[in-house]
Amino acid sequence: MSLQALIFDVDGTLADTERDGHRVAFNQAFTDAGLEWHWSVEQYGQLLQVAGGKERIRHYIQQYCPQWQPPQDLQGFIADLHGAKNTHYQALLRQGTIPLRPGVERLLQEARDEGIRLAIATTSDLPNVIVLLEHTLGTDSLHWFETIAAGDIVPAKKPAPDIYRYALNQLALAPSDCLVFEDSQAGCQAACTAGCQPIITVNDYTQTQDFTGALLVINGLGDPDHPLSRLAGATANIEYIDMAFLTSLGGKSVS
Ligand code: XBP
Ligand code: MG
């Protein structure tokens, strides 16, 4: 592998956005719409098996609301509800209550210093990503990423490989030139099916998931004063992920 680019997932990887961000915003949108729906922390963990906010709402209606009378234009209804959710979500991000995960800013800066290209591949909508980056790394950071592949830009969401194929195409790089950072099983599958090697930084929602195909599974990127824990994969006893470690990786998967 000749490492040329790092591709990052957003939700759960760059920042823990799900429990206190998207989930809260979904519930606010439900209340605004006069719906008696409420997604608890626990139930949201199950719902996260469906990637994509619109897809998640549709799944919830099908699985949990058998008595509910859907409007004639269900697709439009879901799109509006999802739009309202994103407005609430972006307001939460603007309040600055959702920081980047430890080590993320350090690694991004290091990659930039070494001329390693950066990209994003996420299921979430582009405006959500922009507001997160602006309110954590600053407005300039939007230019750090050569491509931000997001949301409905591809037909099928993770675990489909489409968003990674799209990002690779935009970068004009082979999967073997890139390393991917993900937090979830769906993201791991999407990256692997596109031929990429993911490093998984788990979180409370994803720590028990199956990460077959991942290069490394860790509890986070770590930092010099907060060493990481390795859950599976590449054997080096590292305390935190840095560019020296990433360029030394040979491409051995978790079996
Ligand atoms: C993230 C998602 C998203 C977010 C909500 O997946 O599944 O749906 O939960 O964002 P990943 P939207 O981290 O694998 O990209 O409502 O904008 O979809
Ligand atoms: Mg994710």
Side-chain angles (χ1 to χ4, degrees):
M1 172 172 60
S2 65
L3 183 60
Q4 296 192 45
L6 306 181
I7 309 177
F8 288 84
D9 170 49
V10 174
D11 296 298
T13 301
L14 290 185
D16 276 320
T17 53
E18 296 289 9
R19 192 191 69 180
D20 301 328
H22 289 293
R23 184 189 70 88
V24 171
F26 275 114
N27 286 331
Q28 287 172 332
F30 299 156
T31 303
D32 291 349
L35 296 160
E36 287 179 4
W37 304 346
H38 180 86
W39 292 354
S40 68
V41 169
E42 193 192 354
Q43 184 177 30
Y44 194 65
Q46 289 154 14
L47 293 169
L48 277 174
Q49 283 167 13
V50 177
K54 293 191 287 292
E55 293 80 356
R56 192 169 301 140
I57 294 170
R58 184 178 289 275
H59 167 81
Y60 175 76
I61 292 168
Q62 286 165 352
Q63 292 295 312
Y64 297 93
C65 309
Q67 315 291 357
W68 185 67
Q69 195 58 45
Q72 225 174 7
D73 178 13
L74 182 59
Q75 193 173 327
F77 172 82
I78 291 174
D80 289 348
L81 199 53
H82 185 247
K85 182 282 282 184
N86 281 344
T87 302
H88 282 298
Y89 175 66
Q90 289 160 28
L92 286 169
L93 293 178
R94 287 192 179 94
Q95 288 166 21
T97 49
I98 300 181
L100 295 180
R101 290 187 67 178
V104 168
E105 182 168 2
R106 175 186 54 74
L107 185 60
L108 291 172
Q109 295 283 11
E110 232 185 278
R112 277 165 49 74
D113 289 346
E114 298 202 8
I116 297 292
R117 299 161 67 190
L118 298 173
I120 279 175
T122 177
T123 287
S124 191
D125 283 347
L126 181 60
N128 294 341
V129 182
I130 290 174
V131 178
L132 177 71
L133 293 177
E134 282 177 344
H135 284 79
T136 51
L137 294 168
T139 311
D140 276 1
S141 65
L142 297 179
H143 306 295
W144 297 5
F145 299 90
E146 264 182 62
T147 186
I148 301 181
D152 295 324
I153 202 162
V154 291
K157 296 202 166 137
K158 300 171 189 177
D162 303 28
I163 201 75
Y164 280 104
R165 289 189 176 141
Y166 179 91
L168 289 167
N169 198 34
Q170 291 291 308
L171 292 166
L173 288 176
S176 56
D177 297 328
C178 305
L179 282 172
V180 162
F181 290 84
E182 270 288 353
D183 70 302
S184 70
Q185 182 173 345
C188 181
Q189 274 177 28
C192 290
T193 308
C196 294
Q197 295 184 305
I199 291 174
I200 310 294
T201 52
V202 299
N203 54 56
D204 284 351
Y205 276 136
T206 66
Q207 58 191 346
T208 58
Q209 293 181 346
D210 178 2
F211 296 114
T212 301
L215 200 53
L216 178 64
V217 184
I218 47 187
N219 69 338
L221 294 176
D223 263 331
D225 51 350
H226 285 106
L228 60 80
S229 298
R230 185 168 57 86
L231 309 177
T235 50
N237 269 330
I238 32 145
E239 298 209 325
Y240 57 94
I241 302 294
D242 62 4
M243 286 310 304
F245 172 73
L246 295 181
T247 46
S248 76
L249 284 172
K252 204 165 181 291
S253 299
V254 181
S255 54

